[in-house]
């Protein structure tokens, strides 16, 4: 009954509540809305029996023309009561598939705190991400981030099924970027020809 | 854009860039300097003027900004302009928008578009202007013009979106859908469609017109391939087929969905609905209303089917075998859907002519055997639990108990233990247990939590720990014990358990929210406020979470804290409502048409929020309360809200009609289901059953939707109530819930009587002292009633401090304003006095009435002061009183858990170790008690401060009255 479906704007209330329950940090609402209005195909919620939102993934396409087309996972959250059910994996797979199918992304990237072992395990063992780089002092509190990537386009050798992923699985699987645009001032650029904060 | 042309509004880009850079980095002074230099060189450039206006607005000079931008506008309209470009217009647009003059921005673009009728960029600008003004018809016209000019698919879809919005927000727009359909059809015939979002919009236009077959045809044709995800397409097909009553085809489609997504519960419900040929026009669970799962039991699929009993049976049997095949193919724990489906099918059998279906019970047991260790399992089966008989309930509990070995320590055992407790909680079996049994259960929960702490030692500190639900449940049991026995010790232990949990890990929001309510009830508002603050509620959560704290704060002596909460909330809402159209423009630009419609609807939902409406008026009241000691300041506040007509407009019928309620009431503790209800203030009803109690909760939640409660009397009846209470003929108690409103009403009657030419109260006239006397008596009676009710504050939680604070800060404050106003008009000072000369004799009886009212208010407030001082004990003495509630030595009564907590913390180093033991080092129950004592006296002190300032005001009024009268 954890059904993965595309997020609607009305889900916003539940998504932010989910964030409150999962993590002490949350985003500027404009940042969520920007994602939702720009790449609605990449936003998924996990809806439990009774219509309760128990998790979500927030993702975007990178718009930098100097890099190959790729997506980026901005945020992933799953309620404690619904951990170890593969919800995070399902959400991530849905977002990755949409990046590939809808936008033709070549790879997907994400940031994760160095200390977040549970999330790191999920991304490497279960989802097949690899460390691409380390961004020092990426988070506001000075912690480093792993810049992780996973190729989407080229046909990958089929991975053997991870029967055991839930043992070390998505425990604290929450990757939260804290890009300046999201946590910093709410003031977007005033120049009329610039886009809102990305 | 600027760089694209090399020229920006006719000015070289290199001259403009530094100005924008300065603005972007908020160096407004520097920007202004550069801009002034630019203007010296291009004095008649509208662009330079617009830039300057923008900078002035940012510097907080709206008037100068407006006149500057109007200058720019005028220049644009004059004929000798060479550079009429979008950059100038969009800069002006920003300024006008920030100055709340969208109309001016629109008229600029309208003018430009008539001047350059085929300029696409200007038309897009104009379209955006209409989006910001929510002018759907003009949006549609502009989009169609763009479509005709360049023939691009997106502009056609902008027009179709605008039509959808008209249909949604105006009645009778339905025939527009046919227009939208015709436009799209014509375009498809010549150009086809190229975006998935365009296809969705087309299908929804057809669906709204109930042209299901046509929609299905589109989906199965070439266009259908636009939908990237196969399951999405199948779900859409299933929904269309079901709406077209093609049930067999629909259920086949849903089977396909379930084969690829076995966990898709909604599709499963549709599948069953189609098999039984229910009307499957299932509304999506609406998040715009309070959700109350236990009220909506069965709501989705309870309609009786029209099929024969035999047919139902055979179809359910086939569903069962389908579901079983799904179970076999999905053996991991991650897929619960097909297993839960089993229970739902048995429930359908019960509903359709087989009420004694024992297989329902079997299916439940099987489910809990398999998934009982998961923390979601109890809530998974919640609605089915309510179908069980008493015997079945105890059988089920036995089965769960037998299903695991409770003595071992593992995550799974802990999970099963929690499920067992939760099922008991949901079944309501705890309600029937004796006090000592309940106490034992609560203690066991706390023990289990502690024993299992080592499991969580390796988790990240921010990560939820295993067994956190146990402390919530234990504390809830203790609240129930308090309600039952009125022994304050239980309530204190409920607090202690949660504080203990937060010492272990400081991020558990459930604990925090419950503590907010417990502390509010205990009269320790500063602690409630502190925990609320640690939730760091912001953005849209302000709308859904604020109700936990705001109502208490509004009627508390902590006016500044309340004002801050109100300010943050209103800022978020106002900003969002102002800026959301910019995001709608973004959605148009990104061609996410479905989101355009959703987003406009969402904005509308927030716009019509009940909470938004009431906080807007609360904010004015609060402001008045804060400034009530100064008549001048109050007058200027009143002026700023057009003397209240703005507030009256807020409550006119149009705005009240379609209010939305976005508060997340599910997060509230069971004993205060809405902010206006608190079971703990009512007597405990032994006879209440879990069912009656949950029905009561739902009733309260749905009542909340019916909008605000008014006193509901005609003016004459209300008047006679006030006269009755004031003369002692009617008991205050009978009007208790609204007593403060009655007091304020009396104050206003007096004020009205004073300034009206006709007597408001029968048998009195303007000069009569009667209306003063009514207020004096009413205030005196009501306050005295509260003071006699005020026993020891610490022994009677839910004390009347908030009520006293409310009386002092509202009716008494308002009355003091009336007094001040009378004195100002009757005893003119300075120049005026000399001019008027001795001919203006003071109206002696009136002055005497005022003087006796001043005396009465002063006496009353002094009694309040004295009562408050009596309650202010030295800290240690107050602490002793509080702790004495926890010192029961027998096995019965509160105190045991307190000792368990202290002992556990002391032993944590040897028994738990790691970071958790470390976090428990500072724990002691006494510290928590000390904080409660401190917070309670802080509350009293704050109220005393307010009384003192009112008394000062009265003393000076009394002194000047004596001067006039003697």
């Amino acid at each position: 009954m954890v059904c993965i479906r595309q997020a609607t704007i009305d889900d916003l209330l539940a998504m932010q509540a989910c964030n409150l329950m999962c993590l002490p940090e949350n985003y500027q609402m404009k940042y969520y809305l920007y994602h939702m209005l720009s790449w609605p195909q990449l936003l998924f919620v996990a809806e439990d029996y009774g219509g309760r939102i128990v998790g979500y993934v927030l993702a975007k396409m990178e718009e930098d023309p100097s890099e190959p087309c790729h997506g980026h996972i901005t945020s992933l959250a799953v309620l404690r009561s619904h951990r170890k059910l593969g919800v995070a994996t399902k959400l991530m797979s849905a977002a990755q598939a949409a990046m590939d199918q809808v936008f033709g992304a070549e790879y997907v990237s994400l940031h994760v705190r160095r200390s977040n072992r549970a999330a790191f395990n999920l991304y490497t063992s279960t989802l097949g991400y690899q460390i691409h780089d380390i961004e020092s002092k990426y988070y506001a509190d000075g912690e480093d981030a792993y810049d992780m990537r996973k190729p989407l386009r080229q046909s990958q050798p089929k991975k053997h099924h991870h029967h055991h992923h839930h043992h070390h699985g998505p425990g604290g699987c929450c990757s939260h970027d804290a890009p300046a645009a999201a946590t910093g001032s709410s003031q977007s650029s005033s120049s009329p020809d610039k886009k809102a904060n990305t | 854009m600027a760089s694209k042309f090399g020229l920006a509004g006719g000015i070289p880009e290199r001259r403009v860039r530094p100005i924008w850079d300065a603005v972007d980095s908020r160096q407004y002074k520097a920007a202004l300097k550069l801009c002034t230099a630019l203007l010296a060189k291009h004095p008649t450039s509208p662009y330079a003027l617009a830039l300057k206006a923008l900078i002035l607005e940012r510097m907080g000079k709206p008037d100068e900004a407006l006149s500057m931008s109007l200058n720019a506008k005028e220049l644009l309209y004059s004929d000798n302009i060479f550079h009429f470009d979008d950059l100038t217009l969009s800069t002006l647009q920003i300024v006008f928008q920030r100055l709340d003059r969208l109309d001016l921005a629109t008229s600029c673009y309208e003018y430009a578009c008539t001047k350059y009728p085929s300029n696409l960029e200007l038309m897009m600008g104009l379209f955006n202007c209409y989006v910001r003004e929510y002018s759907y018809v003009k949006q549609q016209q502009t989009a169609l013009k763009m479509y005709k000019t360049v023939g691009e698919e997106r502009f056609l879809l902008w027009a179709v979106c605008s039509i959808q919005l008209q249909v949604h927000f105006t009645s009778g727009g339905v025939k527009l859908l046919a227009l939208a359909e015709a436009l799209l059809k014509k375009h498809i015939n010549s150009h086809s469609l190229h975006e998935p979002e365009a296809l969705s919009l087309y299908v929804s236009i057809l669906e709204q017109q109930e042209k299901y077959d046509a929609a299905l045809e589109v989906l199965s044709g070439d266009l259908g391939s636009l939908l990237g995800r196969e399951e999405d397409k199948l779900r859409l097909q299933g929904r269309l087929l079901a709406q077209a009553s093609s049930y067999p085809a629909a259920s086949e489609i849903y089977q396909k969905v379930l084969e690829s997504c076995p966990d898709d519960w909604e599709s499963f419900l549709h599948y069953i609905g189609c098999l039984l040929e229910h009307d499957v026009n299932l509304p999506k669970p609406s998040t715009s209303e309070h959700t109350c799962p236990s009220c909506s039991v069965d709501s989705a699929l309870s309609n009786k089917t029209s099929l024969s009993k035999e047919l139902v049976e055979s179809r359910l049997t086939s569903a069962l075998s389908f579901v079983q095949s799904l179970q076999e193919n999905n053996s991991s724990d991650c897929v619960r859907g097909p297993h839960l489906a089993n229970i739902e099918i048995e429930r359908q059998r019960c509903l359709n002519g087989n009420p004694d279906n024992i297989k329902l019970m079997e299916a439940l047991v099987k489910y809990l055997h398999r998934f009982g260790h998961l923390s979601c399992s109890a809530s998974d089966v919640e609605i089915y639990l309510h179908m069980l008989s008493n015997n079945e309930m105890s059988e089920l509990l036995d089965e769960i108990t037998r299903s695991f070995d409770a003595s071992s320590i593992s995550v799974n055992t802990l999970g099963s233990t929690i499920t067992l407790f939760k099922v008991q909680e949901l079944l309501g079996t705890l309600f029937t247990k004796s006090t000592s049994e309940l106490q034992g259960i609560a203690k066991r929960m706390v023990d289990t939590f502690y024993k299992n702490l080592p499991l969580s030692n390796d988790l990240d500190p921010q990560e939820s720990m295993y067994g956190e639900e146990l402390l919530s449940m234990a504390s809830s049991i203790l609240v129930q014990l308090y309600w039952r026995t009125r022994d304050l010790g239980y309530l204190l232990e409920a607090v202690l358990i949660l504080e203990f949990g937060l010492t272990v890990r400081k991020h558990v929001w459930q604990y925090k929210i419950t503590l907010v309510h417990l502390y509010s009830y205990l009269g320790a508002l500063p602690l409630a406020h502190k925990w609320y603050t640690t939730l760091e509620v912001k953005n849209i959560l302000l709308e859904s979470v604020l109700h936990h704290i705001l109502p208490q704060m509004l009627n508390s002596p902590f006016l500044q804290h309340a004002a801050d909460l109100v300010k943050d909330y209103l800022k978020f809402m106002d900003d969002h409502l102002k800026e959301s159209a910019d995001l709608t423009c973004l959605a148009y630009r990104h061609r996410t048409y479905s989101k355009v419609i959703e987003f406009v609807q969402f904005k509308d939902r927030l716009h019509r929020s009940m909470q938004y409406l009431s906080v807007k008026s609360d904010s004015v009241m609060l402001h008045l309360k804060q400034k009530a000691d100064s008549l001048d300041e109050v007058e200027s506040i009143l002026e700023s809200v057009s003397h209240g007509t703005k507030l009256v407009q807020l409550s006119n019928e149009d705005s009240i009609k379609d209010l939305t309620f976005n508060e997340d009431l599910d997060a509230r503790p069971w004993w205060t289901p809405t902010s206006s209800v608190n079971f703990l203030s009512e007597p405990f009803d032994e006879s209440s059953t879990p069912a009656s109690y949950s029905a009561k909760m739902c009733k309260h939640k749905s009542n909340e939707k019916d909008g605000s409660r008014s006193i509901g009397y005609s003016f004459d009846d209300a008047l006679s109530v006030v006269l009755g209470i004031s003369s002692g003929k009617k008991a205050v108690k009978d009007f208790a819930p609204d007593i403060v409103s009655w007091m304020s009403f009396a104050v206003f009657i007096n004020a009205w009587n004073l300034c009206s030419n006709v007597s408001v109260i029968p048998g009195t006239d303007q000069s009569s002292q009667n209306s003063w006397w009514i207020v004096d008596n009413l205030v005196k009676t009501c306050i005295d009633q509260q003071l006699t009710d005020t026993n020891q504050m610490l022994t009677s939680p839910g004390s009347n401090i908030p009520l006293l604070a409310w009386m002092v800060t509202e009716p008494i404050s308002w009355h003091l304003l009336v007094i001040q106003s009378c004195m100002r008009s009757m005893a003119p000072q300075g120049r005026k006095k000399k001019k008027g000369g001795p001919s203006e004799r003071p109206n002696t009886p009136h002055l005497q009435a005022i003087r006796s009212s001043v005396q009465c208010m002063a006496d009353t407030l002094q009694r309040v002061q004295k009562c408050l001082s009596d309650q202010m004990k030295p800290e240690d003495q107050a602490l002793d009183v509080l702790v004495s509630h926890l010192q029961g030595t027998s096995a019965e009564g509160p105190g045991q858990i307190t000792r368990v907590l202290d002992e556990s913390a002391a032993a944590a180093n040897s028994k738990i170790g790691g970071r958790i033991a470390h976090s428990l080092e500072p724990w002691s129950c006494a510290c928590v008690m000390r904080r409660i004592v401190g917070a309670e006296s802080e509350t009293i002190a704050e109220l005393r401060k307010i009384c003192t300032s009112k008394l000062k005001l009265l003393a000076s009024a009394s002194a000047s009255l004596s001067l006039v009268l003697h």
Side-chain angles (χ1 to χ4, degrees), chain B residues 460-526:
Chain B
D460 290 330
Q462 290 192 345
E463 167 77 355
S464 309
M465 297 193 314
Y466 298 106
E468 280 178 353
E469 302 95 324
L470 287 165
L471 296 191
S472 294
M473 287 191 281
S475 126
S476 159
I477 290 179
L478 287 161
V479 173
Q480 197 189 316
L481 282 174
Y482 162 74
W483 192 23
R484 198 188 271 193
T485 63
R486 293 285 159 192
D487 187 334
L488 183 66
Y490 289 122
L491 204 60
L492 294 173
E493 287 198 322
V495 168
L496 284 169
I497 288 178
L498 299 174
E499 286 278 2
F500 184 85
L502 285 166
T503 310
V504 174
R505 192 176 80 88
K506 63 177 188 216
H507 300 298
V508 194
W509 68 277
Q510 293 95 327
Y511 298 172
K512 292 180 185 179
I513 284 178
T514 310
L515 279 176
V516 166
H517 292 282
L518 284 170
Y519 281 134
S520 300
Y521 181 70
L522 279 164
L525 263 187

Side-chain angles (χ1 to χ4, degrees), chain B residues 52-108:
Chain B
K52 188 166 179 187
L54 183 127
I55 298 163
L56 288 167
E57 194 282 330
R58 291 289 158 91
M59 294 174 90
K61 298 177 177 171
D63 296 339
E64 287 174 52
L66 183 63
S67 82
M68 190 67 61
S69 44
L70 287 173
N71 283 346
K73 182 173 178 253
E74 209 165 293
L75 277 169
L76 278 180
Y77 279 45
S78 66
D79 280 337
N80 49 4
I81 281 298
F82 305 106
H83 303 286
F84 204 158
D85 62 344
D86 185 58
L87 191 56
T88 307
L89 285 171
S90 56
T91 307
L92 266 182
Q93 191 281 324
I94 292 175
V95 185
F96 284 136
Q97 182 175 7
R98 292 180 65 112
L99 293 170
D100 253 336
R101 294 299 305 267
L102 288 173
D103 57 320
L104 291 174
T106 306
S107 63
C108 284

Side-chain angles (χ1 to χ4, degrees), chain A residues 30 185-191 194-198, chain B residues 23-24 26 58 98 579 582:
Chain A
K30 275 183 224 167
S185 81
S186 62
Q187 178 122 21
S188 59
S189 169
S190 48
S191 171
K194 283 190 188 168
K195 282 190 179 158
N197 42 11
T198 34
Chain B
V23 170
D24 281 349
R26 302 182 182 211
R58 291 289 158 91
R98 292 180 65 112
E579 293 163 4
D582 290 334

Side-chain angles (χ1 to χ4, degrees), chain B residues 368-383:
Chain B
L368 288 172
H369 267 295
R370 169 148 193 169
F371 296 108
H373 62 284
L374 297 175
S375 58
C376 50
S377 60
S379 63
D380 287 347
V381 297
E382 182 175 355
I383 65 160

